[in-house]
Amino acid sequence: MKVCVLTEPGTYELQDVPIPKIKNNEVLLRVLTSGVCVNDVRDFKGSKWSLPRIGGHEYCGVVEKIGDDVDVDEIHIGDHAIPYIVDDCGVCPECKHHHENICSNFTKGTTYYNPDGFSGFKGFSEYVAVPARHLYIYPKETPDDEAAFTEPLACVINSIQRSQIKMGDDVVVIGGGVMGMLHVLCAKKQGARVIVSEPDNARRAFAQKLGADIVIDSMASDPVKQIRDITHGHGADVVEDTTALPAVAEQALEMTAKGGMCNFFSSIHPNEPIQIDAGRIHSQEIRVTGTENGTIETFARAIDCIAKGIIDVKPLIEKVYPYTQVQEALEFASRPDTYKVMLEFSK
């Protein structure tokens, strides 16, 4: 089979490798479409994970083969499916307390460091072996490029649920990229007034097209003051920071209202300490949290939202490349003005 291999920063190659042999508890997926995540872009530019690396964790596929111990009443050859990408160990305290999305042992496996071969999630491949317990079946009539949004949408639904958005809330979404726009779509479904903070003119206009009620230019003037003016001095009930900048994280806390929630959705790059007013967090009962990955539940909810047309992800698809053009796809996805780029493997 063909795989797209990151051999060094900035260089992808197509290589031939054997089709994976599945274990008794696994299924073999033939990949249909795989989304390019910002983490794939970071790997492309150079990250700490081991090389060679086969990226791609936002993928959907067709069940081609079933292991001997797989329940054939639940999973069938020909099913269209999405894998849960967190290889939760089921043993650590996090897994035992239903926090499998932050499993302590997840990053210890060969997905991140593999001294003897390929690291990576393997979605940039023609075939992937997946544990049957990680599989979600979705309707065959759901377009593959939309189904491939399951993983990013699952992450955002986890964020939305943890943020406890209520009808009538003012919700600030910082950042107008793919994940920011998914927050806009989801927060609107919760009945919130959504304010997007984004310096790029085109992205602000796009946010309004997707349903944002108000947009602000965070570079035009102090964004904290802009939010306080819009909310008559109250601040935002919920702030969703989808950017990676430490300075923006400080602003996110400052624009959060009394009794409000500030959620750090994105990883921070560089991960530098920030100044916080701990006294204000105490005296104004401000809740600060973060969200990482999707959960087992939010993956299921994401598939439902896409398959049922509750969340329309189509406007976020910027361009679909054949997998043979993986180098061009990653170079295009690395541009700051793009939304979701996808690799198509088969139909």
Side-chain angles (χ1 to χ4, degrees):
M1 69 172 183
K2 296 289 187 183
V3 295
C4 304
V5 182
L6 182 64
T7 56
E8 60 181 293
T11 302
Y12 260 95
E13 294 179 1
L14 289 179
Q15 296 184 11
D16 284 299
V17 302
I19 294 175
K21 293 181 179 180
I22 60 172
K23 300 174 183 176
N24 288 343
N25 64 345
E26 292 181 333
V27 302
L28 183 69
L29 282 186
R30 173 170 55 86
V31 176
L32 296 169
T33 303
S34 190
V36 177
C37 176
V38 66
N39 288 315
D40 294 311
V41 172
R42 289 185 186 129
D43 290 342
F44 182 65
K45 293 179 177 180
S47 71
K48 62 183 179 181
W49 312 128
S50 69
L51 298 175
R53 184 168 177 82
I54 303 174
H57 58 265
E58 302 176 1
Y59 65 96
C60 59
V62 176
V63 176
E64 292 279 299
K65 189 180 292 186
I66 296 175
D68 292 341
D69 295 339
V70 175
D71 186 347
V72 294
D73 291 329
E74 296 290 339
I75 299 173
H76 316 89
I77 291 175
D79 281 346
H80 285 205
I82 297 284
Y84 182 61
I85 67 157
V86 179
D87 190 15
D88 50 318
C89 70
V91 177
C92 71
E94 288 69 37
C95 285
K96 294 300 186 186
H97 288 84
H98 304 294
H99 299 300
E100 69 283 343
N101 56 307
I102 52 173
C103 168
S104 290
N105 293 309
F106 175 42
T107 58
K108 297 177 183 177
T110 57
T111 297
Y112 292 94
Y113 297 100
N114 187 0
D116 302 316
F118 299 115
S119 68
F121 291 89
K122 311 297 197 308
F124 292 169
S125 305
E126 288 189 291
Y127 294 91
V128 186
V130 179
R133 70 184 181 91
H134 283 169
L135 223 58
Y136 298 80
I137 308 302
Y138 68 91
K140 292 179 181 178
E141 59 267 23
T142 301
D144 303 319
D145 53 0
E146 296 176 37
F149 262 90
T150 297
E151 192 276 339
L153 182 57
C155 295
V156 172
I157 292 174
N158 182 30
S159 174
I160 294 293
Q161 291 184 169
R162 191 171 179 83
S163 300
Q164 301 174 4
I165 296 170
K166 299 177 179 65
M167 295 186 71
D169 277 352
D170 277 323
V171 175
V172 171
V173 177
I174 305 178
V178 170
M179 306 311 275
M181 296 304 183
L182 287 174
H183 273 86
V184 171
L185 293 171
C186 291
K188 287 297 296 180
K189 292 294 183 181
Q190 301 298 109
R193 179 171 72 163
V194 178
I195 306 163
V196 173
S197 175
E198 165 59 48
D200 184 78
N201 288 331
R203 291 197 165 192
R204 289 199 304 276
F206 189 48
Q208 287 185 301
K209 184 178 179 180
L210 291 185
D213 299 282
I214 302 171
V215 294
I216 66 169
D217 181 352
S218 55
M219 300 299 290
S221 62
D222 179 8
V224 176
K225 183 178 185 305
Q226 290 188 69
I227 295 302
R228 295 215 172 264
D229 288 345
I230 290 168
T231 59
H232 306 290
H234 179 68
D237 301 293
V238 175
V239 178
E240 305 282 6
D241 182 9
T242 72
T243 72
L245 303 174
V248 176
E250 290 187 20
Q251 293 173 345
L253 278 168
E254 291 174 20
M255 64 179 62
T256 304
K258 290 183 179 180
M261 169 77 78
C262 181
N263 178 43
F264 296 120
F265 174 81
S266 174
S267 54
I268 305 297
H269 301 274
N271 190 19
E272 298 171 344
I274 65 171
Q275 294 285 335
I276 63 170
D277 185 344
R280 178 171 173 264
I281 291 174
H282 154 71
S283 63
Q284 298 185 4
E285 296 190 351
I286 293 169
R287 292 160 293 160
V288 182
T289 190
T291 47
E292 171 81 347
N293 298 319
T295 67
I296 289 172
E297 177 205 357
T298 65
F299 261 72
R301 293 194 181 281
I303 288 175
D304 286 341
C305 285
I306 293 170
K308 296 174 183 179
I310 296 169
I311 299 293
D312 182 10
V313 298
K314 291 191 296 294
L316 294 173
I317 301 173
E318 180 87 24
K319 195 169 183 178
V320 180
Y321 285 86
Y323 75 91
T324 53
Q325 297 179 17
V326 61
Q327 180 76 25
E328 294 91 330
L330 266 295
E331 289 172 354
F332 183 73
S334 298
R335 288 171 36 179
D337 60 338
T338 60
Y339 285 98
K340 183 57 66 180
V341 175
M342 294 189 165
L343 295 177
E344 186 177 81
F345 284 83
S346 60
K347 292 184 178 294

